[in-house]
Amino acid sequence: MFLSIHALLNHQSRTLCRISVLLTLAFGTSFVHAQSNGLTLNEALQLSLQRSSLTKAANASVLASRESAAKADQLPDPMLKVGIDNLPVTGSDRYSTTSDFMTMRRIGIEQQWVSSDKRIARSERAQRAIEMEESTYLESVAKVREEAAKAWVNVLYGQRTLALVSAMEKVAAEDLNAMNAAHRGAKANASDVMQAQLTLSQAQDATRKNTQDLKNARLALSRWTGMPAATVADETPKLTSHVPGLPVEELEKYHPMLLSARRAVNLADADSTVASRESNPDWSVEAAYSQRGSQYSNMVSFGISIPLAVNRAQKQNRDIAEKSALGTKARMQYVEALRELQTEIENQSSTLESLKSRVTQLNAQLLPTASHQVELASAAYRSGAGSLSAVFNAKKMLLERRLQIAELEREAALTWATLEYHVVPHDMVSAGEMK
């Protein structure tokens, strides 16, 4: 008796879903996750972020940049200066530090003074550098989520495709058995039996191929979740994306491509400000205490060192012009990134809607027709006006149409995952989410 695809999927789900998996989550928290209905998409996304070394590495880079930024507004360390001035090297007092009145043992300290506006500019630049590292972290988050979602989708439709080709193999086996019986009863010729055998061989090969494809898809999912994935929940996602409706201001916050481009502009502006402030030289203040022999007076010295910008047009101004040009470059790259992103989102959104429309149309028109052909062929066989082979051919055609629709659904789901999950979740954009 012909089994419906829904029944086959339910049978496979009951067979594969008797597995309990022990999940050891990050930060030392452990819990048991019973996969009674398989791994859901949300669970796969959560596991991928908890187990990903890519995001942990990016987060470590953020922490490193924060440590570096903590010293950006600090004054340079003072310099301890020790020496001997005017030491005789000839005559009766040579190498004596106390005989000659000009000889002094000196100890002093020198401090380079950096203006407050320059230190503020450096601190602002360090904050922009932190934001750039954070954008790299968020880009890693988006990549991990997108790849995990696509891997989950591939497993889901791998399971469904395997169920369909297994049903086709069963139909082919029943066809062969019926042909052998008909041949023995002289109701079918040898060529019909050979054709049925060929069809069965092809169906068996398709089953083996899809079994391996499903195994590879599960390995890919395990790579992102960090745990073996025996099966996933047979739940079709609602292929609806909020990304096409986001304005540019929101895309700058949540889409890694535009987020990085905007923060690169901010960093370039901060570099320009630092270069402008750095064009003013830093003064150094020095104080020293000089000790002479006991018969002479000790002395105190102090002074200020001021660098002279003797060729500002070829040095400091060149630095400012360089940073300004890099700022222009960052702005042009932002404009290009925005155009590319908007085009990409429009293409993916249009492709997704087209695929969903095709799936809906095929479900509404193709499947009913194929199912009706099965009913007609079965009725004709029962009335003696049709052959058993026609019944099996109609069933095979129905399964092929379902495979066609399943492949379109897979393509639509992968397009949706690429569009929806390459955007950072709103609650992870704030720097407070990065531990």
Side-chain angles (χ1 to χ4, degrees), residues 322-393:
E322 175 196 2
K323 300 306 181 184
S324 177
L326 291 176
T328 301
K329 172 187 174 183
R331 283 177 171 79
M332 294 302 99
Q333 289 178 331
Y334 170 84
V335 172
E336 185 62 28
L338 177 58
R339 290 176 180 173
E340 180 182 351
L341 178 59
Q342 289 175 330
T343 302
E344 181 181 309
I345 290 176
E346 186 176 351
N347 286 341
Q348 291 175 345
S349 177
S350 176
T351 299
L352 176 59
E353 292 305 316
S354 175
L355 289 169
K356 288 166 61 178
S357 176
R358 291 171 61 189
V359 168
T360 300
Q361 183 179 11
L362 291 177
N363 277 322
Q365 299 178 3
L366 188 62
L367 281 187
T369 301
S371 298
H372 188 55
Q373 287 178 338
V374 173
E375 294 172 0
L376 292 177
S378 299
Y381 175 71
R382 287 192 297 269
S383 66
S387 65
L388 185 60
S389 179
V391 176
F392 288 122
N393 285 336

Side-chain angles (χ1 to χ4, degrees), residues 35 64 145 170 240 270 289 295 362 365 385:
Q35 288 185 306
R145 281 166 51 85
K170 182 176 181 180
T240 302
Y289 180 80
Q295 66 273 34
L362 291 177
Q365 299 178 3

Side-chain angles (χ1 to χ4, degrees), residues 80-245:
L80 178 65
K81 308 183 75 172
V82 179
I84 297 178
D85 296 332
N86 305 320
L87 179 68
V89 294
T90 60
S92 59
D93 294 334
R94 65 180 181 273
Y95 305 127
S96 173
T97 61
T98 58
S99 299
D100 194 288
F101 75 98
M102 293 183 65
T103 302
M104 296 178 287
R105 291 158 291 178
R106 173 174 46 81
I107 183 170
I109 190 167
E110 180 180 351
Q111 174 67 61
Q112 183 182 14
W113 183 259
V114 181
S115 63
S116 60
D117 60 341
K118 187 179 294 188
R119 283 182 283 146
I120 290 173
R122 291 177 180 177
S123 180
E124 288 294 327
R125 195 269 175 202
Q127 291 301 317
R128 302 294 84 76
I130 292 175
E131 291 176 357
M132 278 301 299
E133 292 296 337
E134 289 174 352
S135 69
T136 301
Y137 167 81
L138 294 174
E139 185 175 358
S140 300
V141 168
K143 174 181 173 59
V144 169
R145 281 166 51 85
E146 177 188 352
E147 295 299 328
K150 288 159 67 175
W152 185 91
V153 166
N154 281 326
V155 174
L156 172 64
Y157 284 96
Q159 292 174 177
R160 293 181 176 179
T161 300
L162 180 58
L164 288 169
V165 297
S166 297
M168 291 180 68
E169 180 182 348
K170 182 176 181 180
V171 169
E174 292 174 352
D175 190 9
L176 178 60
N177 292 335
M179 283 299 175
N180 283 326
H183 181 61
R184 288 192 297 269
K187 294 182 180 180
N189 54 41
S191 62
D192 292 333
V193 176
M194 293 294 293
Q195 182 60 43
Q197 179 63 58
L198 177 61
T199 301
L200 177 59
S201 297
Q202 292 174 336
Q204 290 171 338
D205 181 67
T207 300
R208 287 191 291 269
K209 177 184 180 301
N210 282 275
T211 299
Q212 183 60 44
D213 289 344
L214 178 56
K215 180 180 179 181
N216 293 341
R218 286 170 175 163
L219 288 173
L221 181 57
S222 298
R223 176 258 183 273
W224 294 106
T225 60
M227 56 167 285
T231 186
V232 300
D234 191 18
E235 300 173 354
T236 303
K238 295 181 178 178
L239 307 181
T240 302
S241 176
H242 74 289
V243 176

Side-chain angles (χ1 to χ4, degrees), residues 40-87:
T40 66
L41 177 57
N42 285 336
E43 289 170 345
L45 294 175
Q46 292 171 6
L47 285 171
S48 66
L49 290 181
Q50 291 164 351
R51 304 294 181 87
S52 173
S53 297
L54 185 64
T55 56
K56 292 177 182 178
N59 192 38
S61 185
V62 173
L63 296 178
S65 66
R66 287 178 176 172
E67 294 296 331
S68 177
K71 63 180 183 181
D73 61 347
Q74 301 296 311
L75 287 172
D77 291 336
M79 294 179 61
L80 178 65
K81 308 183 75 172
V82 179
I84 297 178
D85 296 332
N86 305 320
L87 179 68

